[in-house]
Amino acid sequence: MPRFFYPLLSLSQFLAVTLVILSGYWTGHLLGGFAWDGSNQQFNLHPLLMILGLVFLYGDAILMFRIFRKENKTVVKVINMVMQAIVMICVVISLKAVFSYHRTKSIPNIYSAHSWIGLLTVLLFFFQWVVGFAGNMRDFQATDDERVVEE
């Protein structure tokens, strides 16, 4: 492993945690907090959960294979799957919040480039998650002989 991996990993984690904290401060304090009542506070859930899910947790889920490269692959795959499931939950709650907010305020859904690119991103993430889940389930059910052949 390159000698700069762990220092760069530490730096990236520091920056990512800082991003999540600042986003939480921005949406939770400067924009008025969170609610589930159709107000602007409901919309505040969208940027925070998208940053938490698709930037921080999704990035860390990818890094699990590099960080734990000497660990049991089954354990690392389970960690990755759990983290990606949490990302999916963050994304679903975030989208529910923004679509519900738009419906309450009579704002059309999917009306900007941000909306279309975001929808495409979520669809591609979901497709990747389903294919990865199916592949991992196949690996979990494989016999020891089949694992040896694949490696």
Side-chain angles (χ1 to χ4, degrees):
M1 192 169 308
R3 65 181 179 163
F4 295 113
F5 177 72
Y6 286 109
L8 289 175
L9 175 68
S10 299
L11 177 63
S12 73
Q13 291 303 294
F14 173 76
L15 293 174
V17 169
T18 302
L19 173 66
V20 171
I21 290 170
L22 289 175
S23 299
Y25 179 75
W26 171 55
T27 55
H29 181 70
L30 298 179
L31 294 181
F34 308 101
W36 199 269
D37 58 2
S39 66
N40 290 341
Q41 286 76 25
Q42 180 173 333
F43 186 82
N44 291 347
L45 289 167
H46 178 70
L48 180 63
L49 290 175
M50 285 298 191
I51 290 169
L52 178 65
L54 288 176
V55 175
F56 180 66
L57 292 174
Y58 189 41
D60 277 359
I62 294 167
L63 284 172
M64 289 301 113
F65 290 106
R66 181 75 175 186
I67 295 169
F68 299 119
R69 60 191 291 172
K70 296 185 190 288
E71 302 299 324
N72 182 329
K73 293 298 179 202
T74 303
V75 172
V76 178
K77 285 181 181 184
V78 169
I79 292 170
N80 178 271
M81 285 173 42
V82 168
M83 289 183 76
Q84 292 217 15
I86 295 169
V87 172
M88 186 65 68
I89 291 167
C90 287
V91 167
V92 167
I93 293 170
S94 174
L95 290 178
K96 172 66 177 150
V98 78
F99 284 130
S100 176
Y101 169 79
H102 282 184
R103 186 173 48 254
T104 302
K105 300 290 185 182
S106 299
I107 300 171
N109 292 316
I110 314 296
Y111 65 94
S112 67
H114 174 88
S115 303
W116 283 104
I117 292 169
L119 183 63
L120 178 64
T121 301
V122 169
L123 290 173
L124 288 172
F125 171 75
F126 181 73
F127 177 72
Q128 177 266 329
W129 187 79
V130 168
V131 170
F133 183 80
N136 282 336
M137 294 312 291
R138 183 187 58 82
D139 289 347
F140 292 151
Q141 295 173 350
T143 65
D144 290 335
D145 293 337
E146 290 171 339
R147 284 192 192 100
V148 170
V149 170
E150 291 177 358
E151 294 175 358

